[in-house]
Amino acid sequence: MDPVFYPGSFDPITYGHIDIIERAIKVFGFVRVVIMDNPKKSTLFTVDERIDLIRECLSPITSNFEAEKHDGLLVDYCEKTGIYTAIRGLRALTDFDYEFQMALTNKALNDKVESVLFIANVKHTFLSSSLVKEIAQFDGDISEFVPPLVAQKLKAKLII
Ligand code: PNS
């Protein structure tokens, strides 16, 4: 089976991401979770904090993953590692345009790149890191959306 990676911002990782990772591990055996480091995109957590959160949240569940960062184009990650299959989650129709555009752009840049889309669990169709940050900012309850460690780190970040 071809190795796969899961690119994203993961700012921060949510139960939606974790669901996709667990299901992708069932299908592919092992998943590399890759934070695409874009210095122009403002994020709440640094790239290293996001990697630590991914590792700490996934380690109790599975050892069939690796978390790393990549600075540059997705196709460059593929060339660098020899891993050409990217998995992504599709929450709702509103995600489709964006995912379709990314998949076709990556294919145009390098024909070897394949995109595999997992349909998000219905429980997570509305869930996004941005909304979780917004709820946390107003001290709302995010316990259904992110693991306790992420909730704790979010609160700590937002209080400072
Ligand atoms: O979690 P996100 O923010 O929806 O993930 C988007 C991401 C990081 C996968 C996408 O922006 C990406 O692949 N960035 C790397 C830069 C790149 O290759 N851009 C051109 C391909 S569309």
Side-chain angles (χ1 to χ4, degrees):
M1 202 172 302
D2 281 355
V4 297
F5 70 106
Y6 182 12
S9 304
F10 305 101
D11 184 45
I13 189 167
T14 67
Y15 282 135
H17 298 125
I18 293 173
D19 176 57
I20 300 293
I21 294 165
E22 286 188 278
R23 287 164 55 205
I25 289 172
K26 279 196 193 137
V27 176
F28 296 103
F30 192 93
V31 171
R32 283 171 180 80
V33 184
V34 185
I35 293 181
M36 292 289 167
D37 187 12
N38 181 350
K40 287 202 182 127
K41 198 169 164 179
S42 80
T43 56
L44 183 63
F45 292 96
T46 67
V47 103
D48 290 326
E49 286 170 335
R50 283 177 276 157
I51 290 189
D52 286 347
L53 281 177
I54 292 169
R55 289 192 181 132
E56 289 176 58
C57 292
L58 291 179
S59 297
I61 306 171
T62 179
S63 54
N64 291 349
F65 80 96
E66 229 170 54
E68 59 183 328
K69 61 184 166 186
H70 170 73
D71 178 6
L73 287 175
L74 183 144
V75 291
D76 293 338
Y77 174 84
C78 298
E79 282 296 326
K80 179 176 82 180
T81 58
I83 302 171
Y84 290 92
T85 305
I87 63 152
R88 295 276 294 167
L90 195 65
R91 286 166 302 188
L93 207 55
T94 42
D95 277 346
F96 183 78
D97 269 355
Y98 177 53
E99 296 300 332
F100 189 66
Q101 193 181 14
M102 274 205 300
L104 290 180
T105 305
N106 287 325
K107 194 96 185 129
L109 291 172
N110 187 328
D111 192 44
K112 286 198 254 176
V113 177
E114 295 295 350
S115 300
V116 177
L117 295 173
F118 278 79
I119 306 297
N121 186 306
V122 72
K123 278 196 299 195
H124 304 129
T125 44
F126 59 90
L127 180 54
S128 73
S129 299
S130 313
L131 277 184
V132 169
K133 283 182 279 192
E134 192 169 307
I135 298 164
Q137 198 184 330
F138 293 105
D139 208 22
D141 181 7
I142 50 171
S143 58
E144 266 187 59
F145 311 139
V146 292
L149 177 71
V150 176
Q152 189 191 315
K153 299 278 181 191
L154 260 171
K155 300 261 157 153
K157 271 266 178 209
L158 293 167
I159 286 165
I160 294 164

